[in-house]
Amino acid sequence: MRELDLKALNSEKKNGAEAISYILETMGPSNIALASSMSIEDQVLTHMILNVNPKARIFFIDTGRHFQKTYDLMEETMRSYKFTYEVYAPEREDIEEAVSKLGPNFFYESVDSRKKCCEIRKVKPLKRVLSTVDGWICGLRREQSPTRQDVEIFEWDNGNSIYKINPIVFWSEEDVWEYIKAHNIPYSNLYRNGFRSIGCQPCTRAVQPGADIRSGRWWWEDPDKKECGLHLGTAHSANH
């Protein structure tokens, strides 16, 4: 793995496609993967990365609890860009044990229970794919959540011991929509029905106009706890 000077890279403020081009060229396309949840941010990044390299790696974690509209968008995106996602799913034994012992809706019971569900359905599959790369690209933006205020474009992910690149971290939601419209990028029509952040169906709902972007995610929890575990453990701008 090539060592990156994160402080210097972040001071250069490489943005969007420039950050993607840099990391693909530096690390090699087989050693970098874009994580897509089919959000508007990830749709923007899918467009960018495939423009840079049509054979770039893009993966989707199929938790088994997504909206049907998410799967429909997945099909539409593959047709539009003529590529296929790498798909990772939870371990069968983990799902069977949790649901058998705790019931299908155990994640509503407490923050710890919800985090256990996220660990099984999202975090463990993520670790499997990240074990195959030196870095991953994400659609995090600072304005999305109080837990993301310090995110940088180039980071070291302590939890997974790889680099993490957030090319549109300084973009506003308006910036994302402008890019989508300018490039005719497919996106979920759930956004037309009051959704501003989309995850698993049982844990996501529409929000009122003007509400916090992620207020519809795990709405029964405090805002400072609203992470699933995919984006914890990052050392911001510290060199590896």
Side-chain angles (χ1 to χ4, degrees):
M1 185 190 302
R2 178 172 174 179
E3 186 169 325
L4 302 180
D5 186 338
L6 300 181
K7 186 176 181 180
L9 285 170
N10 286 320
S11 69
E12 293 173 14
K13 288 288 188 294
K14 294 180 185 294
N15 203 334
E18 185 182 7
I20 291 172
S21 296
Y22 173 83
I23 200 66
L24 287 178
E25 181 179 338
T26 303
M27 295 291 189
S30 64
N31 295 318
I32 300 293
L34 167 63
S36 177
S37 65
M38 313 306 299
S39 68
I40 52 173
E41 291 83 3
D42 296 337
Q43 291 297 92
V44 164
L45 293 176
T46 294
H47 178 271
M48 287 181 178
I49 197 171
L50 291 176
N51 274 345
V52 173
N53 188 329
K55 295 184 178 180
R57 297 180 61 183
I58 306 175
F59 69 89
F60 175 78
I61 296 176
D62 188 357
T63 64
R65 302 301 295 266
H66 289 293
F67 290 89
Q68 179 58 40
K69 292 183 186 302
T70 297
Y71 296 112
D72 293 342
L73 176 60
M74 192 175 174
E75 288 273 8
E76 182 183 359
T77 305
M78 288 192 295
R79 287 197 304 270
S80 295
Y81 297 111
K82 297 179 174 57
F83 81 107
T84 56
Y85 292 92
E86 296 178 20
V87 178
Y88 295 82
E91 297 290 344
R92 173 180 58 82
E93 294 85 355
D94 289 344
I95 298 294
E96 290 176 354
E97 180 181 9
V99 176
S100 295
K101 288 183 177 179
L102 304 171
N105 295 322
F106 73 93
F107 46 86
Y108 289 128
E109 295 175 4
S110 68
V111 172
D112 286 342
S113 294
R114 194 269 297 165
K115 287 183 177 179
K116 178 179 178 65
C117 188
C118 288
E119 173 74 19
I120 290 170
R121 293 185 182 272
K122 298 171 76 172
V123 178
K124 288 182 71 173
L126 176 74
K127 287 187 178 298
R128 277 195 286 126
V129 60
L130 294 189
S131 69
T132 71
V133 295
D134 294 333
W136 60 312
I137 299 171
C138 304
L140 300 186
R141 294 187 298 106
R142 285 192 174 189
E143 75 169 21
Q144 288 170 327
S145 166
T147 62
R148 299 179 178 180
Q149 295 300 303
D150 298 323
V151 175
E152 298 286 352
I153 295 175
F154 293 91
E155 300 184 319
W156 176 252
D157 183 343
N158 278 327
N160 295 295
S161 296
I162 61 175
Y163 289 105
K164 185 175 182 181
I165 300 89
N166 309 295
I168 58 172
V169 69
F170 297 110
W171 286 31
S172 67
E173 190 176 20
E174 183 179 358
D175 292 333
V176 175
W177 282 116
E178 286 179 358
Y179 191 94
I180 283 175
K181 291 170 184 174
H183 297 279
N184 196 29
I185 295 172
Y187 64 92
S188 174
N189 63 12
L190 288 171
Y191 286 98
R192 300 189 186 100
N193 295 302
F195 288 80
R196 295 183 71 197
S197 178
I198 300 169
C200 291
Q201 189 276 332
C203 301
T204 310
R205 67 180 183 180
V207 299
Q208 295 297 319
D212 180 78
I213 292 174
R214 287 173 63 84
S215 60
R217 301 286 294 277
W218 309 301
W219 61 89
W220 61 94
E221 296 179 7
D222 294 334
D224 62 355
K225 296 185 175 68
K226 291 189 178 186
E227 290 289 357
C228 59
L230 299 185
H231 301 294
L232 300 178
T234 301
H236 303 300
S237 72
N239 284 330
H240 169 41

